[in-house]
Amino acid sequence: MGWPLVGETSDFLKYGSEFMKTQRSKHGEVFKTHILGSPTIISMDPELNRYILYNESKGLVPGYPKAMVDILGTNISTVHGATHKHIRGSILSLLGPVAVKEKLFPNLLKCVKSFTADWDGKTIDIQEKAQEMAFFLAFKQIFESESRSIYDSFKPEFEKIVSGTLALPINIPGTSYHIGLQARSKVIKLSREIIKQRRSSSTIHRDMLGQMMSDETKYPLNDEEIISQIITILNSGYETVSKITMMSLKYLHGDLKALQELREEHFGILGRKEAGESITWEDYKSMSFTLGVILESLRLATVVNGVMRRTTSDLELNGYKFPKGWRIYIYTREVNYDPLLHPEPLKFNPWRWLDKKLESHKYNFLFGAGGRLCPGKELGLVMISLFLHCFVTQYRWEELEGEEMVKFPRIEVPNGLHLRISKY
């Protein structure tokens, strides 16, 4: 269980998958530890993980670390039961497949085109640019009419929030947890000011915030819940969408055959258009190889390593005793490299996803599972697909070598991933 208070958190964060493999070699696929401030059972057993993910009603509720809950607040990932159903309904009404198709798609395309318009001849840090794009796209769907200065006030706080969620909950000035709490307070203050200004105005807003504040919404929320939704949407895009975007370009740069097929798909779509005609939702849904690139990048990079649950009573599963109140880390990373599910698992192979049976396989946990399937899945796929469409039809790129990449607990290139861009 490691040291008092800190447990094995340091080894867990520093060594990541190697820590897991070492523990598994000693103790088997299910073992106990103490990480991120709590006694925790880690499960690397795919069948047990699937059972836990599909049986929330049997005493296996969300159990994210204290730092994550304190900094992100009460949100769709932390609640369960009727509250989860209501919050999930609200968020799906904002960014589920129907909302993306009918409300968000044209604006997203416009924003991506604008964002990628002037990169010719530049050297960019794609890690930074992808984070900026993901955050900007999400921000503009929530706050469509707010000024650039509001955006500039929000954005710096989210790197602090992300870093704080994976820290020990020690509230001392200078710690990532303390800095994350301060960033949360600033975001709450900014959000309250915007909500107050809108309430004092007769202007009708058609963005996500306007929808949440509307008296006609099917899923009414109080101001605290609205602010939690804002933080959830902005944080989700900032971390996951940006990293998949970055890794897609990295893998494509190393596989010219895949890049050529991706370009052919997108130039084929453009070839069916009149001059100046925009791509449509139907064009997006036809991007089968693009979807394969995104799913393969998500699998191979393992942007999400697992999810957490908490027991509400003593349980016995597969012969293991799970004490009441302990957290369970459902570690799904290893199944992404299972050669039985993914032949040649370390090879970038977008073609494998053209077999739709793989996407629906019972051990495919890329977007979660059960009632916790990621509600922003479609929005994320659209954002990345539109970026790839704009990028590969405009530019070629050269990756500048030598940057070290950290893959756990979050994918990160400490010094940035720099690309030299030129016109295609």
Side-chain angles (χ1 to χ4, degrees):
M1 300 292 281
W3 296 90
L5 183 63
V6 298
E8 296 184 295
T9 300
S10 178
D11 286 349
F12 170 73
L13 295 177
K14 183 176 181 180
Y15 300 112
S17 61
E18 292 306 313
F19 169 83
M20 300 294 192
K21 291 174 184 176
T22 299
Q23 297 299 88
R24 179 174 61 183
S25 68
K26 294 178 181 177
H27 311 296
E29 292 196 318
V30 182
F31 54 88
K32 67 181 180 180
T33 183
H34 195 291
I35 54 173
L36 301 171
S38 302
T40 302
I41 293 169
I42 295 178
S43 171
M44 300 173 72
D45 180 334
E47 191 61 42
L48 179 58
N49 287 346
R50 190 171 191 276
Y51 177 87
I52 295 169
L53 289 169
Y54 278 90
N55 285 279
E56 185 172 314
S57 62
K58 297 181 179 179
L60 295 159
V61 301
Y64 287 91
K66 176 176 169 56
M68 191 172 289
V69 175
D70 290 349
I71 293 171
L72 295 181
T74 302
N75 62 65
I76 190 170
S77 298
T78 62
V79 296
H80 55 95
T83 304
H84 175 259
K85 184 177 180 180
H86 185 79
I87 296 294
R88 184 177 178 84
S90 169
I91 211 162
L92 281 172
S93 73
L94 299 172
L95 49 78
V98 174
V100 176
K101 177 183 177 181
E102 296 180 356
K103 299 177 183 177
L104 305 181
F105 188 86
N107 192 35
L108 288 168
L109 178 58
K110 179 182 174 182
C111 288
V112 173
K113 282 184 173 180
S114 172
F115 191 83
T116 58
D118 61 347
W119 289 2
D120 182 27
K122 295 183 178 179
T123 297
I124 64 168
D125 176 0
I126 190 59
Q127 176 174 252
E128 180 183 297
K129 285 291 187 182
Q131 287 179 334
E132 187 179 338
M133 182 195 73
F135 190 82
F136 177 73
L137 291 179
F139 185 89
K140 292 302 289 183
Q141 309 319 304
I142 301 170
F143 305 108
E144 187 173 13
S145 59
E146 266 64 36
S147 68
R148 178 75 190 199
S149 64
I150 298 294
Y151 169 83
D152 290 338
S153 298
F154 265 86
K155 187 177 181 301
E157 305 308 321
F158 272 83
E159 182 61 35
K160 302 172 190 174
I161 282 175
V162 170
S163 297
T165 59
L166 292 172
L168 282 169
I170 301 173
N171 195 8
I172 299 172
T175 63
S176 295
Y177 176 69
H178 180 82
I179 293 169
L181 289 175
Q182 288 183 315
R184 171 180 168 79
S185 296
K186 290 178 184 176
V187 169
I188 290 173
K189 183 180 178 182
L190 287 165
S191 301
R192 281 182 178 149
E193 288 172 356
I194 295 170
I195 291 171
K196 183 179 178 181
Q197 289 169 5
R198 288 200 178 190
R199 285 217 170 96
S200 65
S201 169
S202 59
T203 304
I204 296 175
H205 297 271
R206 304 291 184 187
D207 54 17
M208 287 184 183
L209 178 57
Q211 189 175 333
M212 286 188 282
M213 292 177 62
S214 171
D215 293 332
E216 299 176 5
T217 180
K218 184 180 177 181
Y219 300 95
L221 304 173
N222 60 40
D223 285 2
E224 296 303 315
E225 290 170 332
I226 289 173
I227 292 170
S228 287
Q229 294 284 62
I230 291 170
I231 293 173
T232 299
I233 295 167
L234 290 175
N235 178 68
S236 299
Y238 184 82
E239 185 64 5
T240 54
V241 170
S242 67
K243 296 303 165 63
I244 300 168
T245 301
M246 176 181 75
M247 295 307 296
S248 294
L249 293 190
K250 183 169 182 62
Y251 292 136
L252 287 167
H253 182 263
D255 192 322
L256 296 181
K257 183 181 177 184
L259 176 57
Q260 182 60 30
E261 179 140 347
L262 184 69
R263 279 205 169 108
E264 288 175 1
E265 179 167 88
H266 287 280
F267 278 116
I269 290 170
L270 292 180
R272 298 191 292 271
K273 301 290 177 185
E274 300 292 333
E277 185 183 358
S278 292
I279 63 171
T280 63
W281 176 263
E282 288 68 30
D283 293 323
Y284 156 68
K285 295 303 286 185
S286 75
M287 298 176 185
S288 57
F289 192 73
T290 304
L291 177 60
V293 167
I294 295 170
L295 295 177
E296 184 70 348
S297 299
L298 178 55
R299 179 198 72 82
L300 190 54
T302 309
V303 174
V304 179
N305 288 283
V307 297
M308 298 193 82
R309 295 290 182 265
R310 176 177 56 83
T311 56
T312 59
S313 61
D314 290 341
L315 297 173
E316 185 166 326
L317 303 172
N318 285 19
Y320 297 100
K321 293 180 179 178
F322 290 65
K324 177 181 178 181
W326 278 42
R327 287 185 167 84
I328 306 170
Y329 185 39
I330 303 163
Y331 186 65
T332 57
R333 181 185 184 93
E334 292 304 310
V335 77
N336 290 347
Y337 308 111
D338 182 346
L340 297 178
L341 183 58
H342 306 290
E344 296 184 273
L346 299 181
K347 181 181 179 181
F348 179 68
N349 178 12
W351 290 272
R352 73 173 88 237
W353 296 97
L354 298 180
D355 179 356
K356 294 301 179 183
K357 289 185 290 187
L358 181 58
E359 198 176 341
S360 58
H361 192 280
K362 69 176 185 175
Y363 292 149
N364 175 23
F365 302 135
L366 292 180
F367 294 97
R372 296 277 169 176
L373 191 69
C374 176
K377 174 185 175 181
E378 197 72 54
L379 178 61
L381 291 174
V382 167
M383 286 179 172
I384 303 167
S385 297
L386 293 180
F387 170 81
L388 290 173
H389 173 79
C390 292
F391 191 79
V392 303
T393 55
Q394 291 185 89
Y395 303 118
R396 63 180 83 246
W397 72 99
E398 177 186 351
E399 184 177 316
L400 304 186
E401 300 291 340
E403 303 296 359
E404 181 185 357
M405 181 173 291
V406 177
K407 294 189 175 182
F408 193 92
R410 48 191 288 238
I411 292 177
E412 187 176 14
V413 187
N415 297 318
L417 183 63
H418 295 89
L419 308 179
R420 186 179 293 121
I421 310 294
S422 58
K423 201 71 176 173
Y424 182 70

